[in-house]
Amino acid sequence: MSELSIEFAGARYRFAGLNPAQDGLVRARFRALLCRDDAKPDVRIDIHFDPNSPAFMRRPSGPVEYPLAVVPGDESIAVAGAGFTANIDRSPFRAQMQTCLSDDWFVAAFENLFRIIACHRLFNEGALVMHSAAFTDGARGFLFCGRSGAGKTTLCGLADALDLEILSDELNAIRPRGGSFELLAMPFAGDFGGEPRRHPPYPLTGLLGLRQGGETSLSVCSKAEAVSRIVASCPYLNADPQLVDELASRVERLVQRHELRILAFTKDTRFWKVLDNEYRERATAVSR
Amino acid sequence: MSTESEPPRYRVEPHARFRVMGDEGVFVLQEAGEVLVVNAVGAFIVEQLQAERSVEEIVIAVTDRYAVDQDRAQADARSLLDALLGAGAIRQA
């Protein structure tokens, strides 16, 4: 059995108990984020391989949406998916995974669990993790929150055509830093993007919601709509009775300090001219 | 013993967190991970629900506050309550 450590957004996650096949799969997937095991991890995840247990949810046959159940409890969060179950302890924050998988399905199960663990870990550290697309022009970070179907992957495709650097089209985090916020890439991508890469934090310049169709434009929305859009975009946490009040309060504080704007866009690259001009002007106005 | 039935009362579901923001209100439906926004009148009505007022009392409060006639206030309140019931944000007490 082996261990490996993965680091991103300032936290180290150590996975222990991997068999050789599982270890190889995870190392191949998260190659760029592997780090040395010599430092104490921030989160430890123990993996128990049990190839013959009949207790696991069976793999679905055919191309179906990957089923996942997440049940928040008082002291831990129970997770179950095809071929695995897991518990995430709230305090001390750590996790245990039981699985019968050690092929490509293991990577999917591993990522699904890692995603939930990372959302909670970052939230515990003051960050917000959102279903979102995010990209940078190298100096400014733009985050577009929205659930599935909002246009995140479409927008990432258009941004990629402009050589803007995509952080993720699925999950990104923002964290307070000094008097502003920084945008953190998460190593989980949806339909767009491949192997996770290391990214530095970027200053959060644009915090946006998406609306597809109509003239390409930016508009404002009420604080209540902003809170609604962002809370609805925060997976797992917005369904956790122990965390949902803190989540809503944190989002309320965010939108008091950083306006959420709505980007209406069509399937062309005009959106970037609108964003670039708008946020350059705003940055100039703020710095005066 | 009174033969009159009690006017209906509604309560915010325990899993639904409500907060007023500016002129509007936000419901976080924790069990579903859904969020609803209600306008200023809607936020006022939900605050009345939280104060355990009946629908009749709420209609009177709305007519007083927003200077609308009773029929209009009743229709608006009924429409909002039906929508919130459908969304699982409130339940009949």
Side-chain angles (χ1 to χ4, degrees), chain A residues 147 222 224 227-228 232 238-239 241 244-245 249 252, chain B residues 17 19 21 24 26 28-30 32-35 37:
Chain A
R147 287 181 165 185
S222 71
V227 169
S228 164
N238 64 11
V244 68
D245 290 331
S249 297
E252 192 173 345
Chain B
R17 311 302 215 276
R19 61 179 59 211
M21 294 203 58
E24 299 175 303
V26 178
V28 180
L29 306 178
Q30 169 258 312
E34 302 282 347
V35 186
V37 177

Side-chain angles (χ1 to χ4, degrees), chain A residues 137-157:
Chain A
D137 62 359
R140 299 172 295 175
F142 296 85
L143 180 139
F144 307 82
C145 66
R147 287 181 165 185
S148 182
K152 301 188 298 293
T153 301
T154 303
L155 188 74
C156 282

Side-chain angles (χ1 to χ4, degrees), chain A residues 58 63 105 135 165 169 180 184 244 256 262:
Chain A
R58 285 189 178 181
W105 277 80
F135 59 73
E165 188 176 0
D169 68 337
S180 57
L184 306 168
V244 68
Q256 299 290 358
I262 307 300

Side-chain angles (χ1 to χ4, degrees), chain B residues 7 9 48 51-62 64:
Chain B
R9 289 174 190 267
Q48 301 303 304
E52 303 193 356
R53 301 217 161 84
S54 69
V55 175
E56 279 180 4
E57 291 167 329
I58 291 171
V59 169
I60 291 167
V62 171
D64 288 347

